Amino acid sequence: MKFYPFYCIIYLDKLIESGDILAVELELKEKYGIDDLISIVTLLRSPDGCPWDRAQTHSSIKKNLIEEAYEVIEAINQQSTDGLKEELGDILLQVALHCEMERERGTFDFDDVCNDICQKLIVRHPHVFGEVKANNADEALQSWDAVKQSLKGIKSQGQYMSSVPKELPALMRAQKVQSKAAKVGFDWDNSRGAFSKVNEEINELIIAVEHNSQSEIEEEFGDVLFSCVNVARFIGVDSEEALTGATDKFIKRFTIVEQLAKEKGISMKDSSIEELDLLWDDAKEILAGNSKTEEF
């Protein structure tokens, strides 16, 4: 049995009142579990631990959680099992850090977080743990939403929409809000109405640009985006995923345009938009050819 040559003094919750002190050793293992992670994080934030970890607060590392979440999504998109395992671990580290900060304050710890999510899952699945019936995924979701609204005291759809976090990516938030409005009938009869609204908002944006009012332009541009998200919802497209795909496609095509320009001795900065557009079309054909080759 080996121990990491590092000792620190920590006050365990159950020993704080008596003032007892416990020396903790970290055993080196071939396989670690969640209790080991919690212990390591506690050690890192102890007086004799890591100065960086000890200095962190909820606010200072909140963006790390977002970054790690996106890296999980990247691993899923790349179908990387090893990458997914690693990135999920990074997210778990963020959870452990936030829990340790609150344990130090005496508010809650990792076990409390686990307890709360377990209780939430049980309460919000009455079709599993209770008498409610749900014959399909839609009915199960309706059951979840009904319990959620009841517990949070939400009595109107407006309150429900306001509960969608403002911190969400804008396109995602817009689509969630629109879906909640649609549940009470505030929606177009079909996609034609949604498409017509896009054209209407574009015309209003053009007028705003002619007025040269930046605040008006920003408002109308936001309306254009919001109406485009509504179209996405109608045609069964996730607006965030669609824009991500479009951005990836642009990067791929632009990279090929750069390569073609270099091969032909063309300066992109000095070229006309017409010349660059021809290179762009060539890039599209190259990518289309690659796509057909991959099918075989």
Side-chain angles (χ1 to χ4, degrees), residues 85-292:
K85 181 177 68 173
E86 178 182 352
E87 300 306 338
L88 287 174
D90 289 342
I91 282 195
L92 195 54
L93 169 60
Q94 296 302 310
V95 174
L97 280 167
H98 287 289
C99 288
E100 174 59 20
M101 291 174 192
E102 290 305 312
R103 189 200 67 78
E104 293 164 359
R105 296 174 56 192
T107 53
F108 65 80
D109 60 14
F110 193 92
D111 284 344
D112 293 321
V113 171
C114 291
N115 174 70
D116 286 2
I117 188 59
C118 287
Q119 290 189 0
K120 178 188 288 187
L121 289 172
I122 293 170
V123 170
R124 293 194 183 178
H125 285 85
H127 49 286
V128 176
F129 302 103
E131 302 300 324
V132 176
K133 300 296 182 183
N135 298 315
N136 52 54
D138 288 338
E139 291 181 4
L141 183 59
Q142 290 172 10
S143 174
W144 173 281
D145 286 340
V147 174
K148 180 178 181 180
Q149 291 187 51
S150 175
L151 291 174
K152 291 183 176 291
I154 297 174
K155 299 180 179 180
S156 69
Q157 205 66 7
Q159 287 180 307
Y160 203 18
M161 283 187 273
S162 297
S163 70
V164 178
K166 292 182 179 180
E167 289 77 11
L168 284 176
L171 295 179
M172 182 185 297
R173 181 177 178 232
Q175 198 150 347
K176 282 182 174 290
V177 167
Q178 291 170 1
S179 295
K180 295 183 186 306
K183 288 182 179 179
V184 293
F186 194 81
D187 206 1
W188 301 105
D189 292 332
N190 52 55
S191 60
R192 285 190 176 184
F195 278 109
S196 296
K197 189 65 176 177
V198 171
N199 292 328
E200 176 187 325
E201 297 297 351
I202 289 176
N203 289 331
E204 291 180 4
L205 174 59
I206 292 172
I207 293 173
V209 172
E210 292 173 349
H211 291 169
N212 197 29
S213 169
Q214 192 60 37
S215 61
E216 186 181 353
I217 290 171
E218 183 174 335
E219 178 181 349
E220 296 302 338
F221 184 73
D223 289 343
V224 169
L225 290 177
F226 193 81
S227 58
C228 285
V229 170
N230 209 21
V231 169
R233 183 177 59 84
F234 258 101
I235 61 180
V237 171
D238 184 291
S239 52
E240 282 285 340
E241 295 286 346
L243 185 56
T244 296
T247 303
D248 289 342
K249 181 170 63 177
F250 178 85
I251 293 172
K252 288 179 181 178
R253 289 180 180 175
F254 186 86
T255 301
I256 293 176
V257 167
E258 278 189 317
Q259 293 174 347
L260 292 174
K262 184 176 181 181
E263 291 171 2
K264 297 180 179 182
I266 297 174
S267 170
M268 292 183 64
K269 288 185 178 181
D270 299 329
S271 299
S272 66
I273 189 62
E274 290 78 15
E275 291 173 313
L276 294 176
D277 198 40
L278 290 175
L279 293 177
W280 185 261
D281 289 338
D282 290 341
K284 288 173 63 177
E285 290 183 9
I286 291 173
L287 284 176
N290 290 343
S291 178
K292 289 181 180 180

